[in-house]
Amino acid sequence: MILTAATVLTGEYSHSPGWVEVDHGVISAVGSGVPPRPADVDLGDVVLTPGFVDMHVHGGGGGAYFEATDTAVAASVTLHRRFGTTSTIASLVSDHHDVLVAQVRALADHVESGELLGIHLEGPWLSPHRCGAHEPSALRDPDPAEVSALLEAGRGTIRMVTLAPELPGATEAIRRIVDGGAVAAIGHTEATYEQARAAIDAGATVATHLFNAMRPVHHREPGPVVAALEDPRVTVELVTDGVHLHPALHRLVTTDVGPDRVALVTDAMAAAGMQDGSYRLGSLAVDVVDQIARVAGTDTIAGSTATMQRLVAQTVNHGGADRAESLRTTIRQVTVNPLRALGLPAPGLSPGAPADLVVLSPDLDVVQVMRAGTWVTLPG
C-alpha cells in the first residue's frame, strides 16, 4: 500500500510532496515526489509523520498506570493513541516497595504483549524538597537491594528510572540502573551543579521534565538544569503544554542544545481527555480546574491533562517565525529523540520500521493514526 501526502516528515528529513509504502505492517519505502506506482491512498493536504512516542505519561482517558489493571491500561493507551501516541512508556509515581513491585509486575505483562513500550519509575528515590505530586511518606534514599528487586520484577521492561542524584547511595543506584539495562534520569532534585555532574558522569543520560521540580538556576549555583544542558550525553524532557513551561524556554533550550537532545513529554495523568473534576495520582488527591491538574488544596502542578497532539500544536505555534522548520523540529522531538534517549532503535519513517503513522491536518489536528499497518479507529 502506497500513501501520498502533501508533506512527509520522517523524523529526520522532509519530503514535500512525499509518499510512504507499507507492506505487512512495516514501512518498505519512503520517497519524494511521484511514487514508483500509483498511490493506493492519496491523503491530500496533510502532514504524514511517524507515530508519536511519549516517554513520560502516567495515564489518560480516566485510566492511571499506577492502577495497573487491564481496564486502566487500555483506557490510557486508547486515549493517547487517538491523539497520535503509538508508543507509550508507562510512568509510575513513588509508592511503597511492595506496591511498586506489584505495579511493575502487572505492567510488565502489557509491555511483553506489545501494548506498552516500557515502564518508567519516577521515584521513589526523590528529594522531599522537590517532591511535586509525589507522596512524601513514600520517598526514601536508594537502596541497592530495592533497586535490583524492582528491576528484576520488571523482567527487562523498565526503560527508565528517575532519581535525585544528591541522595545517599544515588551514584551506586545510577550504576545499578544502567547495568540493569535501563536509563538513569535525574529529576525531582535539589542537587547542586557538582552533584548533577557527578550523576551524569556515573551514567545518567536524561533530565526528567527539565526546570520542573528542580533546583532553579542561580548565577552562583547553576544547579542541575545547567549541568544537564551543557553535557552532550544528556537528553532533556520538556513538558510543552503551555502550563509547565513558558514557550520561550523550549525555543531557548532547542537553540542551546540543538534539536536532537530535546524530548517532548506530556507527563499526563488520568484526567487527560476527560472533564474537570477530582482524580488521583498515586495516593494523592488531584483537582483539575480549567484542565490544569493540581494536588488538592495546593498550587502544586500534578502532571498534565495534555495529549501529544496538544504538545505538537502548542510547540509549533510558538516555535518562531519559520513554521515549517518548527514543525520539523517538533516532530523529531516527539518521535526519534525519545527513542534514542531510551536507547531504543529510532528509525522514524524508514524502510524496515513498524508502520506507525500519524496524519495531521494543516491546523495540526490528528485526523488519522496507523499502528503496525492498521488504521486506528478515531472517535467522531
Side-chain angles (χ1 to χ4, degrees), residues 67-375:
E67 297 172 343
T69 64
D70 293 351
T71 300
V73 171
S76 181
V77 168
T78 298
L79 181 281
H80 288 289
R81 193 168 289 168
R82 290 172 179 170
F83 292 96
T85 299
T86 56
S87 296
T88 299
I89 300 294
S91 296
L92 294 173
V93 292
S94 301
D95 215 317
H96 301 287
H97 178 74
D98 291 346
V99 175
L100 282 175
V101 167
Q103 291 170 346
V104 166
R105 285 175 175 162
L107 291 178
D109 292 340
H110 294 278
V111 179
E112 291 167 349
S113 72
E115 193 171 15
L116 297 171
L117 186 60
I119 301 168
H120 166 214
L121 295 181
E122 189 178 13
W125 309 299
L126 308 178
S127 168
H129 304 291
R130 300 285 175 183
C131 61
H134 289 255
E135 169 57 53
S137 69
L139 303 183
R140 49 198 180 270
D141 294 338
D143 173 74
E146 183 178 31
V147 173
S148 295
L150 284 167
L151 291 172
E152 290 168 6
R155 307 191 297 272
T157 63
I158 294 177
R159 303 292 188 196
M160 186 166 75
V161 180
T162 296
L163 76 169
E166 72 274 19
L167 296 178
T171 299
E172 183 180 353
I174 289 169
R175 294 190 178 114
R176 176 67 188 92
I177 290 162
V178 174
D179 289 345
V183 169
I186 59 175
H188 286 272
T189 175
E190 187 66 8
T192 64
Y193 172 83
E194 287 77 13
Q195 288 169 328
R197 289 288 313 157
I200 295 166
D201 288 338
T205 54
V206 169
T208 296
H209 45 50
L210 193 74
F211 300 106
N212 298 116
M214 283 187 177
R215 176 198 285 259
V217 177
H218 186 275
H219 56 285
R220 286 189 294 273
E221 173 45 73
V225 172
V226 174
L229 289 175
E230 72 177 4
D231 197 303
R233 295 171 291 184
V234 178
T235 297
V236 297
E237 292 183 352
L238 294 177
V239 188
T240 56
D241 61 346
V243 175
H244 282 71
L245 297 175
H246 191 284
L249 283 174
H250 174 261
R251 298 194 298 269
L252 178 67
V253 170
T254 298
T255 299
D256 182 41
V257 307
D260 294 328
R261 286 181 50 209
V262 176
L264 306 187
V265 299
T266 64
D267 196 14
M269 44 89 70
M274 305 293 286
Q275 299 296 316
D276 286 359
S278 298
Y279 296 86
R280 300 201 71 82
L281 185 57
S283 61
L284 296 181
V286 174
D287 290 334
V288 177
V289 179
D290 295 331
Q291 289 297 290
I292 298 176
R294 291 187 171 92
V295 176
T298 77
D299 292 328
T300 301
I301 294 174
S304 84
T305 62
T307 62
M308 272 296 187
Q309 184 273 328
R310 176 173 153 191
L311 294 192
V312 169
Q314 170 79 13
T315 307
V316 173
N317 290 334
H318 294 86
D322 190 335
R323 182 180 173 86
E325 179 59 29
S326 178
L327 178 59
R328 286 192 293 271
T329 296
T330 299
I331 293 303
R332 183 180 305 183
Q333 293 175 346
V334 298
T335 60
V336 173
N337 291 2
L339 292 172
R340 286 180 175 159
L342 294 169
L344 299 171
L349 297 188
S350 62
D356 294 346
L357 311 173
V358 177
V359 181
L360 295 172
S361 74
D363 293 329
L364 303 181
D365 292 322
V366 172
V367 293
Q368 286 181 274
V369 178
M370 176 182 286
R371 187 170 189 269
T374 300
W375 292 110

